[in-house]
Amino acid sequence: MAETQTDAERCPICPASGPPTRNKPVGDGAPLDDNNDELYWIACSKCETWYHSTCLVQGSETHRSTIPDVVMASLGDHQGAWTNWTAWIDKWYCRTCLDFSVSPENPRPPRHPFKATVKSGCPPKPGAPSVKKAKGRSPHASQSPAPSKRPRLSSSQPGDENARPKRKAAENAPDYHAWNHGIPTPTGNWLKLIQEPEKYGADIRIGDFPQVSGELMSKDWLESDAVGAVSPMTFYGPDRRPMIVRPEQGGIEGMGGKLPDANLTVSDVAEQLGRNHTVDVIDVASQTSSQWNLGKWAEYFKASSEADWNGKVYNIISLEITGTPLAKKVTPPRIVREIDWVDNYWHFEGGRKKAIAAAQKEGGPEKDGSLLTQDGDGWVQDKAKAGAKWPKVQLYCLMGIKGSWTDWHVDFAASSVYYSIHTGSKVFYFIKPTEHNLKMYAQWSGDADMQQTKWLGDLCEGGVEKCTLVAGDTMIIPAGYIHAVYTPVNTIVFGGNFLHSYSIPTQLRLRQIEIDTKVPQRFRFPFLDKMVWYVAERYCADLRQLRAYRAKPPANPLSPPHIVVLRGLVVLADFLQSQIDILDDGEAEDKKKKLVHERIPGDVVRDAPGLARELKWRVEREVPEGERTVPVKKEVQVEVKEVKVPTKRRTMEDKTTARAARTTGFRSRPWDPATSYPVETGEVHSFAPRPAQDGTPGEVEPVHITTETFRQTMKRQYGLVGDKTVIEEKEVILTERRYIWGNEAKGVKDEEGAEPPAVPAVAQAEAMQTE
């Protein structure tokens, strides 16, 4: 959307009292450009944020240090700040961009450090004529349509000394940042559409979302048999719905959570996290992001509250606060802490038992082992003490001003969300995550042109549902829900993301969509591929305990996981096996194999292939028989018939009874017990050379030959999808011949009564080979 003359932008570092004014020098303190009383602007060559050149010179040392030393030396005292020194600059970078360029959190650090530079021959030597504005050029003229990386100059507009003239953006200019980062790029048309959907033919209606009691939201409820509008299927079923807990129904306190006091402001957030704390700020007009510090954000948020403010709209949706003083005042709802994979399955540095013991020693809960400690300000997450990297996605502070818009998206890895309004209001737009709608979302999110020209609701079935939340409301958004968010007033929100065992198929499905649409790793759920191994290891250990022999039944017998969890674990086991298949694939790239290998936590998972296979059959054993994808063989007593065979030779029957290693039988389903029966027997007297001890044939002698033939059949069964079944059968014929030389065969003639012939040794050997 093109910027107009009225879209005034303010200098981020202007004093609270307003733009600076010049004090006329007295005596010999005249500046280099004594006839200039105007404010000049300069734009950062990286983020293109505009600043008053005077504010930079007269501001703190942090901002003055961004100006080349040679320029500062020429300006002298602060009266020189009114000199048009921006005309000397070739490239200039703001403090935010300079700091982020060398930050460890920067995923794409520049090859060379950013550094401000000046044009050739600048600053001018003393006595040289001052830089003057070009004649005939309006001070309010629009800038070049193509964004430039060079600083731009302009004088102030009449009547608004802090406003700068705007450049006119190229129509339908591609947003390369959004394309590269997979970020949807809405336009002003979407903001118009949600205000007047009938005018644009959009199907947007007020959603009838269930309102529930805060006390209901717990793991016990999820695994209960409750029915009705708020059955557990509302959270994880195919017809799952976002659920709202209003203040009159207990709010987040009724859910076992906590928020800061209602008088918390954005300035308080900046103070508690540090005014120099860097945060991603979204430009709503283009949906591109830039780096600000919280001090700058607090000043911007305060200025946006003024009645006559008409500046650009920015939004913060990814400020993670774990480990900060503010985190001590926020506690996620009970249901989040009880089922969140990070809280319950991640292996923190130093060992989970050690971390739990430390939490309990400090007064934490004794039953669920979640890493929480009691603090003077309430329950706080103690995971920050773990030290090593782990997924920090459970505590976010979101801050947006009036007019903020977050385009259609699904939270990373289809994670579920808790969303509590502290102050202000939010309007959600939901699209149901059906198979068709998820397919259309994957297509839309992977096409930059569709994001700019297509309203996603027009491509999906069921239309769009609207829901408005106000201060005190808390919403639980189930896994995989497609949604967009509009901010009608300045708002502060606390929320977080969590993965759990009740929506494993959906979570893994969205993981693949993110890969297919090339979402960068920094925008996906952190350490997801590592965490699923932790989840598999824990469930496998629990299932072993479930089937472990106990001489005396325990007072509280263990029970298998909920059936919904078991179904999800089958999908998880298949996913883990697919990762192992990559390692075993001889044609897979080494880079891909290395990536899979590095994401297997070797400190816990010693045998990844064995774990994947063991999880599958242990889970299948607990799934009710009618829902099994692979029939589980019951333990039966195998009866093996005795068959006369040579010493040191084993039949297939013998092999089925051999003791195998833990992983031996997992590669293929074993054969059922073999059935053997004799087919033919016989005996004959003949002549054959007796084999010598050294392997050379001896003389032909009488021999007694007995023959026994057996037929052996085996079968095994594989289950497939639905009612299709594959039964594999195998038939083996075994023939056993016994040759007896010695006294038993002496004096024996052949069937015609002839004596054994005298034959040379060569013929004897040929006879033995023929026999």
Side-chain angles (χ1 to χ4, degrees):
M1 183 175 68
E3 296 174 327
T4 64
Q5 295 282 346
T6 59
D7 293 332
E9 185 175 20
R10 297 177 180 271
C11 171
I13 59 174
C14 266
S17 59
T21 57
R22 180 190 180 195
N23 295 323
K24 288 293 184 177
V26 180
D28 298 331
L32 296 177
D33 189 359
D34 193 33
N35 296 323
N36 179 26
D37 296 333
E38 299 176 343
L39 286 169
Y40 286 92
W41 289 87
I42 186 169
C44 175
S45 299
K46 176 64 176 177
C47 66
E48 299 188 1
T49 302
W50 291 82
Y51 292 80
H52 283 141
S53 62
T54 305
C55 291
L56 291 169
V57 178
Q58 295 182 340
S60 65
E61 178 61 30
T62 299
H63 295 293
R64 286 200 303 272
S65 63
T66 64
I67 305 172
D69 294 339
V70 64
V71 173
M72 289 299 299
S74 298
L75 295 181
D77 60 19
H78 284 181
Q79 289 296 324
W82 296 90
T83 301
N84 185 9
W85 60 269
T86 59
W88 308 338
I89 300 298
D90 179 46
K91 290 185 178 180
W92 175 81
Y93 301 94
C94 66
R95 174 47 56 188
T96 301
C97 289
L98 289 173
D99 292 342
F100 185 66
S101 68
V102 296
S103 171
E105 298 180 359
N106 187 354
R108 295 184 178 180
R111 180 173 299 178
H112 303 289
F114 290 156
K115 182 179 180 181
T117 57
V118 297
K119 296 178 181 178
S120 178
C122 294
K125 296 181 180 180
S130 301
V131 178
K132 300 292 184 181
K133 294 189 296 291
K135 292 184 179 181
R137 178 182 177 185
S138 168
H140 318 304
S142 298
Q143 304 295 324
S144 171
S148 171
K149 292 299 180 182
R150 301 295 179 90
R152 288 171 284 255
L153 313 176
S154 75
S155 59
S156 59
Q157 296 184 22
D160 187 357
E161 58 187 348
N162 193 38
R164 68 167 177 84
K166 291 291 184 176
R167 62 187 181 277
K168 183 178 181 180
E171 295 294 334
N172 299 322
D175 188 345
Y176 296 104
H177 181 278
W179 286 8
N180 184 54
H181 292 80
I183 303 174
T185 307
T187 66
N189 291 334
W190 306 148
L191 300 178
K192 297 177 183 178
L193 183 147
I194 62 175
Q195 299 298 330
E196 299 180 280
E198 299 83 5
K199 179 179 178 180
Y200 295 91
D203 182 9
I204 300 178
R205 61 186 183 278
I206 304 298
D208 184 20
F209 297 104
Q211 299 185 22
V212 301
S213 169
E215 297 180 353
L216 181 68
M217 306 299 290
S218 66
K219 183 178 180 180
D220 291 340
W221 168 69
L222 286 179
E223 300 193 347
S224 68
D225 297 326
V227 296
V230 288
S231 72
M233 297 289 286
T234 309
F235 179 72
Y236 56 69
D239 297 322
R240 58 191 180 276
R241 303 276 288 168
M243 293 169 286
I244 306 171
V245 180
R246 303 286 188 187
E248 56 269 23
Q249 295 160 328
I252 193 170
E253 290 80 8
M255 301 171 69
K258 185 178 180 180
L259 293 183
D261 295 336
N263 57 4
L264 179 80
T265 65
V266 172
S267 295
D268 296 333
V269 174
E271 292 297 334
Q272 296 190 40
L273 272 71
R275 298 184 69 84
N276 290 326
H277 185 92
T278 304
V279 63
D280 286 323
V281 177
I282 305 297
D283 182 341
V284 172
S286 63
Q287 291 290 283
T288 58
S289 63
S290 59
Q291 295 281 326
W292 287 19
N293 60 54
L294 283 178
K296 176 180 176 180
W297 170 257
E299 295 174 2
Y300 166 80
F301 198 92
K302 181 178 179 181
S304 68
S305 302
E306 300 175 2
D308 58 346
W309 187 84
N310 62 349
K312 296 189 68 173
V313 179
Y314 293 96
N315 190 22
I316 289 180
I317 60 175
S318 58
L319 177 58
E320 218 284 329
I321 63 174
T322 298
T324 68
L326 182 59
K328 297 181 180 181
K329 301 179 181 180
V330 182
T331 302
R334 179 191 317 106
I335 189 173
V336 176
R337 304 196 306 270
E338 289 178 340
I339 67 176
D340 181 20
W341 275 0
V342 177
D343 269 355
N344 294 279
Y345 297 101
W346 186 268
H347 283 250
F348 291 90
E349 183 179 359
R352 182 173 181 81
K353 292 183 178 179
K354 181 178 179 181
I356 293 175
Q360 294 175 349
K361 183 178 180 181
E362 298 182 20
E366 298 179 357
K367 62 175 184 177
D368 60 5
S370 58
L371 300 182
L372 301 174
T373 57
Q374 182 68 28
D375 186 83
D377 295 325
W379 291 105
V380 299
Q381 289 192 319
D382 196 44
K383 295 187 292 294
K385 298 179 181 179
K389 292 182 178 180
W390 53 275
K392 300 177 182 178
V393 296
Q394 203 185 82
L395 286 177
Y396 282 105
C397 178
L398 298 83
M399 297 171 283
I401 70 167
K402 178 181 178 180
S404 295
W405 167 260
T406 303
D407 211 349
W408 295 108
H409 66 284
V410 175
D411 285 84
F412 42 31
S415 54
S416 302
V417 181
Y418 78 92
Y419 201 91
S420 189
I421 309 296
H422 180 271
T423 53
S425 177
K426 290 281 186 177
V427 181
F428 279 82
Y429 296 85
F430 289 108
I431 293 177
K432 190 175 181 180
T434 62
E435 186 71 22
H436 170 78
N437 291 350
L438 287 175
K439 180 179 180 181
M440 296 311 300
Y441 168 74
Q443 180 180 349
W444 177 88
S445 61
D447 190 324
D449 289 334
M450 289 184 65
Q451 294 172 27
Q452 296 189 34
T453 60
K454 298 290 185 180
W455 174 250
L456 182 59
D458 293 340
L459 306 176
C460 298
E461 60 186 9
V464 177
E465 293 182 287
K466 175 181 177 182
C467 175
T468 301
L469 301 180
V470 297
D473 291 343
T474 298
M475 173 178 279
I476 299 292
I477 304 176
Y481 242 92
I482 308 168
H483 59 283
V485 189
Y486 176 72
T487 308
V489 295
N490 289 10
T491 303
I492 300 176
V493 174
F494 289 93
N497 300 72
F498 59 103
L499 297 175
H500 53 81
S501 302
Y502 301 88
S503 298
I504 295 177
T506 302
Q507 292 165 177
L508 294 179
R509 166 90 182 275
L510 262 294
R511 171 194 175 273
Q512 189 59 45
I513 289 179
E514 291 172 349
I515 294 175
D516 295 340
T517 55
K518 296 180 172 57
V519 176
Q521 190 64 44
R522 66 186 293 249
F523 296 111
R524 303 183 199 173
F525 197 100
F527 309 111
L528 172 61
D529 286 10
K530 184 176 183 179
M531 184 159 60
V532 293
W533 287 102
Y534 285 141
V535 174
E537 186 275 335
R538 178 67 61 77
Y539 273 109
C540 217
D542 292 345
L543 292 173
R544 291 191 204 108
Q545 291 295 319
L546 182 66
R547 293 283 181 165
Y549 170 76
R550 291 176 176 82
K552 181 180 180 181
N556 298 316
L558 300 176
S559 58
H562 192 270
I563 181 60
V564 174
V565 176
L566 290 173
R567 294 174 187 147
L569 290 175
V570 172
V571 178
L572 177 60
D574 290 338
F575 168 75
L576 297 180
Q577 186 59 55
S578 70
Q579 299 296 290
I580 297 302
D581 291 342
I582 294 175
L583 297 177
D584 295 338
D585 186 359
E587 299 180 358
E589 298 179 357
D590 289 342
K591 181 180 179 180
K592 190 173 184 179
K593 290 184 177 181
K594 182 180 179 182
L595 190 62
V596 172
H597 180 268
E598 289 176 346
R599 292 175 177 175
I600 299 175
D603 59 329
V604 174
V605 180
R606 306 296 184 183
D607 178 13
L611 176 61
R613 292 189 292 266
E614 182 182 3
L615 178 65
K616 181 67 175 288
W617 72 262
R618 285 192 180 278
V619 171
E620 287 281 5
R621 184 162 61 172
E622 307 303 333
V623 174
E625 182 126 5
E627 299 189 23
R628 293 173 182 168
T629 58
V630 178
V632 179
K633 178 183 173 183
K634 297 181 179 179
E635 297 180 2
V636 297
Q637 187 69 28
V638 179
E639 181 179 355
V640 182
K641 296 182 179 180
E642 183 179 357
V643 181
K644 294 182 179 180
V645 295
T647 307
K648 297 183 180 180
R649 181 178 180 182
R650 299 168 60 197
T651 65
M652 295 298 293
E653 294 170 312
D654 297 323
K655 293 181 180 180
T656 60
T657 61
R659 183 178 181 86
R662 183 169 76 95
T663 60
T664 300
F666 295 175
R667 294 187 177 277
S668 178
R669 183 166 175 78
W671 294 97
D672 290 339
T675 301
S676 300
Y677 53 91
V679 176
E680 183 179 2
T681 60
E683 61 180 291
V684 66
H685 297 282
S686 183
F687 304 95
R690 181 197 297 264
Q693 294 294 332
D694 58 0
T696 59
E699 296 182 357
V700 176
E701 300 181 30
V703 61
H704 181 209
I705 306 173
T706 60
T707 304
E708 290 182 291
T709 302
F710 294 88
R711 186 185 301 274
Q712 188 178 80
T713 60
M714 291 175 288
K715 67 172 56 178
R716 57 184 174 187
Q717 179 175 311
Y718 290 93
L720 299 179
V721 179
D723 56 352
K724 297 181 180 179
T725 304
V726 173
I727 298 178
E728 184 179 358
E729 296 183 349
K730 181 167 61 175
E731 183 177 88
V732 179
I733 296 179
L734 304 175
T735 300
E736 178 185 315
R737 291 187 178 90
R738 295 191 178 189
Y739 294 78
I740 302 176
W741 287 273
N743 296 330
E744 184 179 342
K746 281 185 178 180
V748 176
K749 300 181 180 180
D750 62 12
E751 295 178 356
E752 297 179 357
E755 294 289 342
V759 294
V762 174
Q764 295 177 19
E766 292 178 354
M768 188 169 184
Q769 291 176 1
T770 302
E771 185 62 33

